[in-house]
């Protein structure tokens, strides 16, 4: 049945919808039971089954039965499951419209439930269940077997977060990864092709090779990183996006300093695939399982508790006293209950890990009245897209049953751009949210900047303090808090709860007790290895932490012996070094790396890997190419000049000079000991080694 048939054949479409639903719910039912459930004759049922089988929605198979009428079994195919989800939409849309017309006839007013452009507004009642993309348990078991023959795509961590929220209704009204028409509408004007508000491209990016192996109309299996199937997708669209345009329109600038733009250009696949998704099972989370709720589970909880108004607080940082005061006020202002809804998917590189944050949240949860507050974890991959992200967060919270949402100052801002300025204005997010509030379906509560007034020993909103000049106003910024934690300085009780500080100190000991990575980069022959060796000896002499040297030649021999010297292989070699360094850092050791590492994007990726666990200190050994060529101990430059070594850094391949390394050292006319000492002084100034 085609889309064009919908208006002309509503009865046939309804019957097909009911048939597919019945097969999903009772795959082993007899034909007579099926006909009775659908309230149609056996003859009509056979016609329907024949049509559904021809369309590829239902599969016939032999069944061992002595009863002639039960010798054939009908099961829903992957395509049938996807069609059932599509028809569910049309069925609900029509039924709501019929209800609305009846409501108007009886009362003279509309019900407010009829869709105007799409089903986003069908669910005005924040407690009614919302549609999910999952099939029933029995169908899922059968689909798992069928999917063994499908081409598989292993999802990235970000794609797994996106898929989970697609399947459980968190991204309602989306029915899958965006097709090209929807993608263009979202990028250009924050609207899907049907006019519904949606600000964020939810795309399945893949490599050119994978995209080339897929035909349009083909079903593919979407699997997690262990190979467990989560869903299938019918590929309806395949295109190469203009990523520079996406960066500009969605994130406000095509600037790699923005983490999502960096992801777009340097990590995401080149080709996008779009199409509807059929959910088989949700991704497995082994942590904090009791704290994770789907939109429908939260709505059911609100129903059970009798909560009509719920204000959501989005956070990716630990909660301190100012946040508590802010959330109390927001709930009071909206006369609503409070949902603390922290993101535990992917946040900004360098954020406190979610395990620590959740332990911090649990430590302060008993400071809130239990009957009016709850906490749930949201497995969202943030994009740090400021204004658009705020609108997106609002739509997600509306899907989770919330009626109000706290939008912060510089909400979901990624920090500074390449010029050292903020990507977004402090109130851009609030302005864009306000402009779209009626469509979002979740009212904004302004974030108040709370400060501690010492004389009154309480938190107050800064713009409400009338006697600013006569009182002592105290505040600790996020940067200052990180500094105090890093240096083991006091964190006052007026600022945070002792339980939270204790948890943070447990995870983040003072810098002089943490692991870190020193990463030397420079031309071949610049002196990286020599300085690295001298530094290693000096650090070992000081003692206290294990020191590991990951020198280019050592790594090539032990980790990367099969790799050549193409750009791809050199990148892979550096990523391996970064991985090992991050593990050493995580476990409290010191990693010293000394590869050439010519490409800025790869060095940045290694920095992000390491900074998840400790400090990353980039040292540019700034010896000129001429000096390196003079030294040429291994005769490599000579071979490169003769064309015997292809893609040689500085001769036939570029070197991206670090723009702002932690330290730049000159080695010409400076002895090695002095260079190593400069690095030690830098480490000391950063608090990584304690001054004796």
């Amino acid at each position: 049945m085609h889309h064009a048939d919908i208006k002309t054949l509503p009865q046939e479409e309804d019957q097909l919808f009911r048939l597919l639903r019945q097969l999903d719910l009772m795959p082993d039912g007899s034909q007579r039971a099926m006909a009775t459930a659908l309230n149609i004759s056996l003859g009509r049922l056979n016609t329907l089954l024949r049509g559904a089988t021809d369309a590829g929605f239902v599969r016939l198979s032999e069944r061992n039965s002595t009863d002639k009428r039960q010798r054939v079994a009908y099961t829903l195919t992957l395509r049938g499951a996807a069609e059932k989800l599509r028809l569910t939409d049309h069925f609900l849309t029509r039924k709501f419209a019929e209800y609305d017309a009846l409501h108007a006839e009886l009362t003279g007013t509309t019900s407010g439930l009829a869709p105007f452009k799409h089903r986003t507004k069908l669910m005005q009642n924040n407690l009614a269940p919302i549609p999910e993309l999952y099939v029933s348990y029995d169908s899922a078991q059968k689909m798992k077997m069928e999917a063994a023959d499908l081409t598989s795509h292993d999802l990235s961590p970000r794609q797994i977060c996106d898929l989970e929220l697609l399947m459980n209704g968190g991204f309602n009204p989306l029915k899958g990864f965006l097709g090209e028409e929807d993608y263009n509408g979202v990028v250009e004007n924050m609207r899907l092709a049907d006019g519904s508000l949606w600000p964020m491209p939810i795309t399945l990016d893949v490599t050119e090779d994978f995209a080339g192996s897929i035909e349009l109309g083909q079903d593919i299996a979407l699997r997690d990183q262990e190979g467990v199937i989560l869903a299938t997708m019918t590929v309806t669209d395949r295109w190469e996006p203009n990523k520079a345009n996406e960066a500009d329109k969605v994130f406000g600038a095509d600037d790699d300093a923005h983490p999502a733009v960096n992801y777009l250009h340097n990590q995401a696949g080149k080709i996008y695939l779009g199409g509807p998704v059929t959910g088989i099972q949700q991704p497995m989370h082994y942590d904090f399982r009791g704290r994770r709720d789907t939109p429908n589970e939260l709505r059911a909880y609100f129903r059970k508790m009798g909560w009509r108004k719920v204000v959501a607080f989005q956070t990716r940082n630990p909660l301190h006293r100012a946040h508590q005061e802010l959330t109390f006020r927001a709930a009071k202002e909206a006369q609503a209950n409070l949902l603390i809804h922290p993101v535990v998917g992917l946040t900004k590189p360098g954020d406190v890990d979610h395990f620590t944050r959740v332990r911090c949240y649990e430590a302060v949860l008993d400071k809130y009245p239990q009957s009016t507050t709850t906490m749930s974890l949201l497995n969202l991959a943030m994009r740090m897209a400021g204004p658009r992200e705020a609108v997106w967060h609002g739509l997600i919270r509306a899907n989770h049953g919330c009626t109000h949402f706290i939008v912060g100052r510089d909400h979901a801002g990624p920090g500074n751009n390449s010029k050292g300025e903020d990507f977004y204005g402090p109130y851009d997010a609030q302005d864009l949210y306000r402009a779209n509030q009626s469509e979002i379906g979740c009212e904004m509560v302004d974030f108040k900047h709370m400060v501690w007034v010492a004389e009154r020993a309480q938190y107050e909103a800064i713009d409400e303090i009338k006697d600013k000049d006569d009182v002592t106003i105290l505040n600790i910024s996020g940067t200052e808090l990180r500094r105090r934690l890093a240096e083991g300085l006091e964190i006052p009780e007026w600022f945070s709860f002792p339980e939270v500080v204790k948890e943070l100190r447990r995870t983040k000991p003072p810098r002089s007790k943490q692991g870190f990575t020193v990463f030397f980069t420079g031309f071949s022959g610049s002196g990286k290895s020599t300085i690295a060796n001298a530094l290693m000896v000096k650090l070992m002499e000081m003692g206290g932490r294990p020191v590991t040297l990951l020198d280019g030649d050592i790594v090539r021999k032990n980790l990367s012996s099969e790799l050549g010297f193409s750009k791809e292989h050199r990148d892979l070699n550096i990523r391996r070094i970064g991985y090992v360094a991050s593990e050493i850092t995580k476990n409290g050791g010191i990693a010293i790396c000394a590869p050439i590492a010519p490409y800025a994007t790869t060095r940045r990726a290694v920095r992000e890997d390491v900074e998840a666990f400790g400090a990353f200190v980039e040292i540019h050994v700034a010896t000129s190419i001429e000096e390196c060529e003079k030294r040429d101990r291994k005769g490599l430059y000579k071979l490169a000049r003769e064309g015997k070594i292809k893609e040689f850094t500085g001769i036939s391949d570029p070197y991206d000079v670090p723009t702002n390394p932690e330290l730049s050292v000159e080695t010409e006319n400076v002895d090695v000991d002095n260079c190593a000492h400069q690095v030690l002084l830098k480490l000391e100034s950063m608090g990584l080694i304690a001054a004796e």
Side-chain angles (χ1 to χ4, degrees):
M1 196 163 292
H2 301 291
H3 292 264
D5 303 333
I6 290 165
K7 290 190 182 69
T8 50
L9 300 169
Q11 187 186 358
E12 282 86 339
E13 185 177 76
D14 278 4
Q15 285 185 347
L16 176 62
F17 161 65
R18 291 174 193 276
L19 171 71
L20 296 179
R21 183 169 174 274
Q22 192 63 25
L23 282 170
D24 187 22
L25 293 171
M26 294 180 63
D28 298 321
S30 68
Q31 281 201 15
R32 188 168 299 285
M34 217 182 293
T36 305
L38 299 178
N39 198 22
I40 55 174
S41 67
L42 278 168
R44 177 66 190 142
L45 175 67
N46 273 309
T47 306
L48 273 176
L49 283 168
R50 210 165 29 248
T53 307
D54 292 345
F57 299 149
V58 172
R59 192 179 63 250
L60 290 173
S61 55
E62 291 291 324
R63 184 191 286 177
N64 291 330
S65 173
T66 49
D67 187 337
K68 282 182 184 175
R69 289 163 303 181
Q70 293 205 2
R71 281 195 185 153
V72 176
Y74 294 92
T75 51
L76 217 54
T77 62
L78 298 169
R79 183 141 308 175
E83 182 68 2
K84 181 190 82 89
L85 291 171
R86 190 182 72 77
L87 292 175
T88 304
D89 257 10
H90 294 298
F91 181 81
L92 277 173
T93 302
R94 198 159 52 250
K95 291 301 170 192
F96 271 110
E98 287 169 17
Y99 169 75
D100 201 55
L102 181 63
H103 193 283
E105 192 181 316
L106 294 174
T107 65
T109 62
T110 61
S111 65
L113 283 173
F116 57 103
K117 276 180 181 160
H118 201 278
R119 204 151 45 85
T120 342
K121 287 291 169 251
L122 284 177
M123 303 303 166
Q124 290 283 32
N125 174 0
N126 68 313
L127 305 181
I130 65 164
E132 297 182 349
L133 303 184
Y134 290 110
V135 292
S136 70
Y137 175 78
D138 286 343
S139 290
Q141 299 313 105
K142 288 194 171 71
M143 284 173 72
K144 277 184 201 174
M145 304 295 288
E146 273 190 43
D149 301 327
L150 296 182
T151 301
S152 289
H153 172 66
D154 289 345
L155 299 159
S156 68
R158 175 160 121 170
Q159 290 168 348
I160 291 172
C161 289
D162 287 350
L163 179 64
E164 180 171 350
L165 285 161
L166 281 169
M167 295 191 297
N168 69 22
F171 284 172
N172 182 55
L174 304 193
K175 294 288 166 280
F177 289 99
L178 296 184
E180 189 171 7
E181 193 185 355
D182 279 330
Y183 165 82
N184 289 333
V186 168
V187 168
E188 296 301 326
N189 57 22
M190 302 205 313
R191 297 206 172 261
L192 299 170
D194 69 1
S196 306
L197 178 70
W198 190 265
M200 199 59 59
I202 305 299
T203 51
L204 188 70
D205 59 273
V206 298
T207 61
E208 286 180 283
D209 287 349
F210 183 81
S213 71
I214 299 294
E215 289 174 21
L216 291 184
Q218 186 177 334
D219 292 326
I220 60 173
L222 302 179
R223 298 179 181 273
D224 70 12
Q225 293 177 311
E226 272 75 54
V228 176
I229 185 162
L230 302 176
T232 63
M233 172 174 144
T234 305
V235 181
T236 57
D237 294 69
R238 176 181 55 211
W239 75 103
E240 184 176 341
N242 179 343
K243 290 186 175 183
N245 183 55
E246 181 180 333
D248 202 44
K249 298 278 171 51
V250 178
F251 306 110
D254 189 11
D255 181 344
D256 274 6
H258 193 298
V261 176
N262 178 51
Y263 178 90
L264 197 60
H265 289 313
N266 300 315
Q267 287 167 265
K270 199 172 180 183
I271 307 296
Y272 286 175
L273 301 181
V277 156
T278 305
I280 293 175
Q281 60 188 337
Q282 58 185 15
M284 176 55 75
H285 299 289
Y286 298 103
D287 59 324
F288 308 114
R289 291 177 73 165
R291 293 277 183 204
R292 294 175 183 270
D293 304 283
T294 67
N296 280 329
E297 285 168 345
L298 268 184
R299 284 167 175 252
Y301 177 79
F302 299 155
R303 268 199 308 277
K304 183 178 174 183
M305 298 297 286
W307 292 6
R308 291 287 171 269
K309 282 183 171 183
V310 182
V311 60
F313 178 56
Q314 145 93 26
T315 177
R316 42 172 257 269
N317 294 309
L319 288 181
H320 302 296
R321 287 187 188 274
H323 299 113
Q324 187 199 34
E325 192 60 40
L326 158 80
T327 49
F328 275 155
R329 278 181 168 235
K332 197 170 160 189
E333 195 177 299
Q335 292 183 303
N337 296 285
L338 177 66
L339 170 68
I340 299 171
H341 210 199
V343 170
V344 295
L346 301 177
T347 59
K348 189 181 166 190
D351 278 353
V352 175
D353 70 275
H354 82 265
F355 300 102
T356 303
R357 287 191 287 116
V358 175
R359 290 197 299 270
C360 288
Y361 302 141
E362 290 187 326
V364 300
L365 210 53
D366 60 0
K367 315 280 183 200
Y368 289 88
Q370 209 178 347
S371 57
T372 61
T373 305
T374 192
M375 178 175 81
S376 179
L377 309 183
L378 180 65
N379 196 45
L380 174 72
M382 287 181 70
R383 274 41 168 195
M384 309 307 296
R388 279 195 184 222
E389 182 114 3
V391 172
W392 188 42
H393 288 174
L395 288 165
I396 293 166
R397 276 18 185 256
N399 284 331
H400 281 78
C402 302
T403 56
H404 294 72
F405 181 53
I406 300 169
V407 179
R409 187 177 178 278
D410 191 25
H411 185 96
N416 291 347
N417 62 19
S418 301
K419 294 174 185 161
E421 299 156 359
D422 285 339
F423 268 95
Y424 312 113
Y427 300 107
D428 289 358
Q430 292 183 359
D431 293 343
L432 189 67
Y433 196 101
R434 203 174 280 110
N436 292 282
Q437 186 165 264
S438 59
E439 268 187 272
I440 294 169
C442 200
E443 209 174 300
M444 179 170 80
V445 179
D446 292 16
F447 184 99
K448 302 282 191 294
H449 183 43
M450 308 301 293
V451 291
W452 180 255
V453 180
E455 283 77 4
R456 293 194 276 274
Q458 64 184 26
Y459 272 96
E460 297 178 21
I462 190 141
D463 49 4
E464 292 171 14
I465 302 172
K466 300 280 189 285
D467 52 352
K468 279 193 187 71
D469 298 334
D470 305 323
V471 292
T472 312
I473 293 172
L474 300 172
N475 188 33
I476 292 180
S477 67
T479 312
E480 172 63 9
L481 172 67
R482 282 190 290 276
R483 186 185 77 83
R484 289 185 181 218
L485 282 169
E487 295 177 20
L489 301 174
E490 188 220 352
I491 293 164
E493 211 161 308
W494 60 260
F495 175 76
S496 193
F497 304 99
E499 301 93 323
V500 171
V501 175
K502 182 182 170 189
E503 200 54 64
L504 290 173
R505 287 206 195 282
R506 225 168 55 126
T507 312
K508 288 271 183 195
R511 267 193 144 176
S512 60
K513 293 193 169 56
Q514 285 179 28
F516 63 89
T517 292
V518 181
F519 193 93
F520 290 93
T521 172
F523 291 122
S524 175
S526 59
K528 302 181 301 298
S529 298
T530 316
I531 303 167
N533 268 296
L535 178 67
M536 176 179 72
V537 172
K538 286 176 183 290
L539 288 169
M540 287 169 83
E541 183 188 359
M542 293 169 75
R545 283 174 283 194
V547 186
T548 305
L549 175 63
L550 298 168
D551 184 43
D553 294 340
I554 297 169
V555 169
R556 280 274 172 187
K557 185 179 166 191
N558 294 294
L559 272 184
S560 301
S561 57
E562 86 287 12
L563 298 184
F565 288 88
S566 64
K567 179 182 190 307
E568 187 188 355
H569 276 193
R570 282 189 287 170
D571 267 353
L572 182 54
N573 184 47
I574 303 302
R575 291 307 300 267
R576 287 179 183 176
I577 290 172
Y579 169 72
V580 175
S582 72
E583 288 295 308
I584 291 166
T585 302
K586 176 168 76 177
N587 289 291
I590 299 171
I592 302 173
C593 313
I596 295 170
Y599 311 120
T601 51
T602 317
R603 293 196 300 261
R604 174 179 175 155
V606 171
R607 178 183 286 272
E608 286 180 3
D609 287 349
V610 171
E611 284 186 342
F613 307 113
F616 180 86
V617 187
E618 186 177 36
I619 312 287
H620 177 213
V621 182
T623 314
S624 67
I625 191 83
E626 294 77 19
E627 176 66 20
C628 292
E629 208 163 344
K630 262 189 237 164
R631 296 175 183 177
D632 201 8
R633 193 162 52 86
K634 299 175 189 169
L636 299 176
Y637 283 94
K638 185 171 180 292
L639 293 171
R641 291 281 183 208
E642 290 166 0
K644 291 177 183 166
I645 300 179
K646 301 278 181 276
E647 299 181 293
F648 190 83
T649 301
I651 304 294
S652 51
D653 204 55
Y655 176 78
D656 301 336
V657 176
T659 47
N660 47 3
E662 275 70 13
L663 180 66
S664 192
V665 294
E666 298 286 346
T667 64
E668 295 172 47
N669 306 316
V670 181
D671 65 30
V672 173
D673 194 63
N674 186 288
C675 293
H677 194 66
Q678 285 180 51
V679 180
L680 273 183
L681 289 171
K682 184 67 191 175
L683 297 177
E684 196 177 304
S685 74
M686 292 174 73
L688 292 167
I689 54 178
E692 293 302 324

